Amino acid sequence: MRRNRKRRSTPDPDEAGLDAEGGAPTGQVVVTDTGDAHAADGGTALTGYRGPVAQPAGPATGEVVQVYRTGDAIASGVGSTAISGYVSELTVVQQAAPRGRASWPHQVGVIPPRAQSFQLRSEGEQLRAAVAGGGTAVLCQVLIGTGGVGKTQLAADYARAAWESGGVDVLVWITVSTRSAAVSGYAQAGVEVLGADPQDPEQAAKMFLAWLEPKPDTKPCRWLVVLDDVADPADLRGLWPPINTSGRTLVTTRRRDAALTGHDRRRVTVDLFTPDEAVTYLTATLTAHHRHETRGQLTALAADLGHLPLALAQAGAYLIDSGLDCAAYRLLLADRARTLADVLPEPDALPDDHATTVAAAWSLSIERADRLRPAGLARPMLQLTAMLDPNGIPAPVLTAPPALAYLTEHRTHSEDASRSGRRQQVSVQDAADALRCLHRLNLIDHAPTTAHQAVRVHNLIQRAVRDSLPADRHDQLARTAADALTDAWPEVERDTDLAGALRANTEALTSQAKDALWHLKVHPVLYRTGTSLGQSGQLTAAITHFRRLVDATRDRLGPDHPDTLTVRGMLAPYLGRAGDAVAAADAFADLLADCLRVLGADHRNTLAARAMLAHWRGQSGDAVAAADALADLLADLERVLGPDHPDTLSTRSNLALWRGQSGDAVAAADAFADLLADCLRVLGADHRYTLSARAELARWRGQSGDAVAAADAFADLLADLERVLGPDHPNTLVIRAVLAHWRGETAGKTSNIVLPPVRGLVPDSAALDGDGRGEKA
């Protein structure tokens, strides 16, 4: 039974044509305040009415019948009709007679059309192989992948092949964007296949699902149900097709929730195109429009777009519509001033019936992830990942205190915050849970056991997220990411893989940050990246990094800014360490002149420049001049900084070193013995200055003729370096070589190994600091 209740405001009596007495004007019959009318099977009911009988009138006499304020007209049986009158209109409800069952084969729903230049892929072969084992195979396949990888196209290809080959009697295609959409799809199948009542979709859906159950005494139906784009596993609760050896179920979804897969459901991960698939796709797309590009350009474009099928399709359409060649388009794509929307087709020009642009493809997933517990953290977490290396972000970066502070400040919605009126501090566990939410929605790949590359995210998702940020948020986010990298960077790089990942993330951040990392000063993470390269032995890379940093800092902050002077001081030592001591000395001579002019004689960076100039003059061959310059500097450092300051201790080390290099090994050994005692007292046993003093003391004792004492001291030092720095640290490797040298000397076997110094007390770029603080002790 269906009630036809059409809501509208009751007309004013004047508008209805009533006279002042409330009667009908001449030529009209007005029916008011009617009651309900009911029609049984095959009958017809008009709206009844109460009140005085109207005078005979009607169209034959030119009179108008008006009916308003009517009751319900109810059609309660098959084939019955109900008519409810309103002013100037009639609404008719027809209770339809039951429809017959459809004959097989029968299709419910529409399979999406085949995309132009569709690519056969390995995932399609996996689908076909899944049911090759007949009843022993898992008959429910779940295609899982991020938005835009082509899950729907793979499902459509599979369904179309099954239908066209005659392997399916009933095929049902349902787009499951919501639970109601799933119910409606099943109900439609129930109506068409079983003749169910369309007025009761819930019951029709249940009838169809029950019909899919295997039945021993009936002719089996070979069915295929495709549930496309499942947005939420909860939408399918109670709506999964049953397991039936005559039937197959295919699901596509962006979700990776455990509820979607299991014993009776096989997961098929749909990944990006391979490089060859991507090039083949682009070639076919362009060739169809008489366009040709070199394989090299197509390969590069595919890489720029991250091999995402949706992006390749839309980029191909843009190339064709705009007339640009591949090289010009790649320049356009690389322009950071343009958004994704600027370099892909407009919504009304999308190829292959695409419903959304690449930029919008993940918006719904982001919204859903943000609603998962802990609510409101997925979106700001994704924003953080959008600034870093898409190929792998170390977990400690995204759970560092600066990252947690950003998540707390920009949490999008929180019930706890709403009730208390204040923001609850986000914990490390909250941040980890937010990453899992993003992983479940296929917005990132989160592998907690892979610490150095725990989070991977597609570069176009990153760009879409960055495009959505206002300018002030973009800069704040860049500095937050830089703070998090700095916080996560260990002072002693025991783990070379972690150091490499941190450098890669800094490089990715710098390419996105524009001027944000030069806001008033150079962000420390830019210094740290260069020193990390140098400490790992990548001298050429360190020189390249600092040269670029000098240029960028001079352009943004000016030639006399303290940080510009600092970066110049960090570059120069690597010139010397790479083999050009004269160039290093010349660079420091120029820097010292500018430091004296800009900062003054007693500024710490001026004093550091003096130390570095003396050192590299010594390395250039003038050990006496180096020792004399350092003796003068030491007196000024003791006056300005005090005898126990790390810079004073460093200068004592270098003075002793150059005295030894000038020929007085005994004096050098005595000076290092005194220095070691002060380092132990001031800095502690494991400080790098202390470890360096031990190395130099052992070295000069050996140079003084006591090879046994040198070998014993280096053996003890090696054990401590392995504990403090790790077995693969460059300093540890240096000491292993030095120990081998002195053991050879004790055995009477002279070694020709050229032994590098242990970085520590020997001056390096860290001695200069843009804040005037120098290196942390």
Side-chain angles (χ1 to χ4, degrees):
M1 179 175 71
R2 175 178 175 184
R3 290 185 176 273
N4 177 50
R5 184 180 299 275
K6 192 164 184 178
R7 303 287 183 185
R8 63 182 294 165
S9 58
T10 302
D12 186 274
D14 291 336
E15 295 177 2
L18 297 179
D19 61 16
E21 302 293 327
T26 304
Q28 291 190 354
V29 176
V30 179
V31 182
T32 67
D33 298 319
T34 66
D36 295 341
H38 298 267
D41 289 355
T44 300
L46 298 176
T47 306
Y49 89 100
R50 310 185 198 118
V53 177
Q55 296 298 320
T61 60
E63 296 172 334
V64 178
V65 177
Q66 292 189 347
V67 183
Y68 73 99
R69 283 203 294 266
T70 66
D72 290 337
I74 302 166
S76 59
V78 175
S80 60
T81 301
I83 301 175
S84 177
Y86 294 88
V87 176
S88 302
E89 65 177 286
L90 290 177
T91 300
V92 179
V93 177
Q94 178 73 41
Q95 179 67 36
R99 60 183 296 166
R101 297 186 177 208
S103 60
W104 302 348
H106 185 75
Q107 178 181 323
V108 180
V110 179
I111 301 174
R114 187 184 184 93
Q116 298 178 24
S117 308
F118 175 78
Q119 293 287 299
L120 296 175
R121 303 169 65 182
S122 61
E123 292 88 346
E125 294 303 317
Q126 291 181 51
L127 289 178
R128 290 172 173 77
V131 293
T136 62
V138 178
L139 300 177
C140 178
Q141 314 298 317
V142 183
L143 292 175
I144 295 176
T146 192
V149 293
K151 302 180 296 297
T152 295
Q153 276 295 311
L154 286 169
D157 178 67
Y158 177 78
R160 191 176 294 107
W163 178 256
E164 292 174 353
S165 68
V168 174
D169 297 320
V170 173
L171 188 155
V172 179
W173 184 286
I174 305 172
T175 301
V176 190
S177 54
T178 62
R179 181 176 180 84
S180 63
V183 171
S184 296
Y186 282 131
Q188 183 68 23
V191 170
E192 295 184 22
V193 177
L194 304 177
D197 182 1
Q199 305 303 324
D200 193 345
E202 289 280 353
Q203 183 59 32
K206 290 178 181 178
M207 286 179 61
F208 182 72
L209 286 169
W211 180 77
L212 296 179
E213 292 279 359
K215 298 173 180 62
D217 299 327
T218 60
K219 176 185 176 182
C221 173
R222 300 168 303 164
W223 51 263
L224 170 62
V225 174
V226 181
L227 304 174
D228 183 39
D229 199 21
V230 174
D232 190 335
D235 292 341
L236 289 182
R237 190 174 295 120
L239 296 178
W240 283 89
I243 298 302
N244 184 338
T245 56
S246 298
R248 285 167 276 170
T249 302
L250 183 57
V251 177
T252 74
T253 181
R254 302 182 188 192
R255 301 289 291 261
R256 288 194 271 206
D257 304 64
L260 287 166
T261 55
H263 176 68
D264 294 323
R265 302 171 196 156
R266 176 173 175 266
R267 172 177 175 155
V268 178
T269 299
V270 182
D271 210 337
L272 305 166
F273 274 158
T274 66
D276 284 343
E277 288 172 342
V279 171
T280 300
Y281 175 85
L282 287 172
T283 300
T285 298
L286 296 175
T287 300
H289 292 81
H290 311 291
R291 291 281 303 274
H292 302 282
E293 296 280 353
T294 67
R295 184 175 181 85
Q297 282 291 346
L298 294 178
T299 299
L301 175 58
D304 292 343
L305 296 169
H307 305 107
L308 182 72
L310 179 68
L312 294 169
Q314 295 187 7
Y318 190 97
L319 280 170
I320 294 163
D321 291 342
S322 67
L324 292 175
D325 63 21
C326 206
Y329 179 68
R330 290 186 61 221
L331 289 175
L332 196 68
L333 190 65
D335 184 356
R336 299 297 178 185
R338 299 178 184 270
T339 66
L340 271 181
D342 295 331
V343 294
L344 292 173
E346 296 182 3
D348 59 356
L350 297 177
D352 296 329
D353 293 335
H354 290 174
T356 60
T357 63
V358 168
W362 304 284
S363 58
L364 180 59
S365 295
I366 295 171
E367 180 63 30
R368 288 185 177 274
D370 212 35
R371 291 178 180 175
L372 298 176
R373 290 180 297 177
L377 293 184
R379 188 183 297 274
M381 177 60 83
L382 189 60
Q383 290 169 352
L384 274 173
T385 67
M387 304 303 294
L388 298 167
D389 184 13
N391 298 310
I393 305 169
V397 175
L398 298 174
T399 57
L404 299 181
Y406 180 85
L407 295 177
T408 300
E409 180 182 357
H410 296 287
R411 191 171 197 163
T412 54
H413 50 78
S414 168
E415 293 180 3
D416 292 339
S418 298
R419 287 194 297 266
S420 65
R422 60 183 178 83
R423 297 183 182 274
Q424 183 178 359
Q425 179 64 42
V426 173
S427 67
V428 170
Q429 186 59 52
D430 291 335
D433 290 342
L435 291 172
R436 295 309 296 172
C437 292
L438 293 168
H439 177 83
R440 286 167 62 187
L441 269 296
N442 248 305
L443 292 163
I444 67 170
D445 287 318
H446 181 219
T449 57
T450 310
H452 307 327
Q453 295 178 314
V455 174
R456 296 174 184 266
V457 55
H458 196 279
N459 65 307
L460 292 186
I461 294 180
Q462 290 183 310
R463 185 162 181 175
V465 171
R466 292 194 302 268
D467 287 349
S468 68
L469 293 170
D472 58 341
R473 175 74 68 83
H474 179 281
D475 290 351
Q476 178 196 9
L477 188 60
R479 288 190 287 272
T480 296
D483 291 343
L485 284 166
T486 304
D487 191 277
W489 214 310
E491 186 173 348
V492 177
E493 294 181 357
R494 298 181 179 88
D495 189 332
T496 55
D497 289 338
L498 174 60
L502 292 170
R503 291 194 299 267
N505 275 269
T506 304
E507 182 177 355
L509 171 62
T510 305
S511 70
Q512 307 300 339
K514 300 179 182 177
D515 295 335
L517 300 186
W518 284 267
H519 180 64
L520 302 180
K521 56 180 290 186
V522 175
H523 195 283
V525 77
L526 300 177
Y527 298 134
R528 190 68 184 89
T529 301
T531 57
S532 176
L533 287 167
Q535 290 168 4
S536 67
Q538 301 178 62
L539 300 181
T540 301
I543 291 170
T544 300
H545 172 84
F546 280 118
R547 277 179 171 157
R548 290 174 178 170
L549 189 56
V550 167
D551 292 340
T553 305
R554 182 185 288 117
D555 291 344
R556 290 171 170 85
L557 300 179
D560 289 343
H561 191 281
D563 284 8
T564 305
L565 302 178
T566 294
V567 180
R568 288 172 57 191
M570 299 183 86
L571 166 64
Y574 290 108
L575 300 175
R577 290 174 62 183
D580 195 343
V582 173
D586 291 344
F588 275 114
D590 293 341
L591 177 62
L592 178 57
D594 289 334
C595 285
L596 287 167
R597 175 177 55 83
V598 175
L599 303 176
D602 287 345
H603 192 279
R604 188 179 173 192
N605 281 7
T606 305
L607 299 172
R610 288 173 61 188
M612 300 292 279
L613 175 58
H615 173 77
W616 288 107
R617 280 181 173 164
Q619 291 288 355
S620 301
D622 196 344
V624 173
D628 291 344
L630 288 168
D632 292 339
L633 175 61
L634 180 59
D636 289 334
L637 287 172
E638 289 176 338
R639 171 180 58 82
V640 174
L641 301 178
D644 291 339
H645 192 279
D647 286 4
T648 306
L649 299 176
S650 175
T651 301
R652 287 174 59 188
S653 170
N654 285 284
L655 176 56
L657 170 68
W658 289 112
R659 281 178 174 162
Q661 294 284 12
S662 63
D664 195 344
V666 174
D670 291 343
F672 275 114
D674 293 339
L675 177 61
L676 177 58
D678 289 334
C679 285
L680 287 167
R681 173 178 57 82
V682 175
L683 303 175
D686 290 342
H687 192 279
R688 72 184 187 98
Y689 281 16
T690 306
L691 297 172
S692 180
R694 287 174 60 187
E696 293 296 339
L697 174 58
R699 173 189 178 188
W700 290 107
R701 280 180 174 165
Q703 295 285 3
S704 301
D706 194 345
V708 174
D712 291 343
F714 277 119
D716 292 340
L717 177 60
L718 178 61
D720 288 334
L721 287 177
E722 289 176 337
R723 173 179 56 81
V724 175
L725 302 180
D728 296 331
H729 191 279
N731 279 3
T732 306
L733 300 177
V734 167
I735 294 304
R736 286 174 60 187
V738 172
L739 174 59
H741 167 82
W742 287 111
R743 280 179 172 165
E745 291 289 330
T746 61
K749 298 177 180 178
T750 301
S751 169
N752 293 322
I753 298 175
V754 177
L755 301 175
V758 179
R759 310 310 301 175
L761 286 165
V762 175
D764 58 22
S765 55
L768 291 112
D769 181 271
D771 291 328
R773 294 191 304 269
E775 185 183 8
K776 294 184 291 185

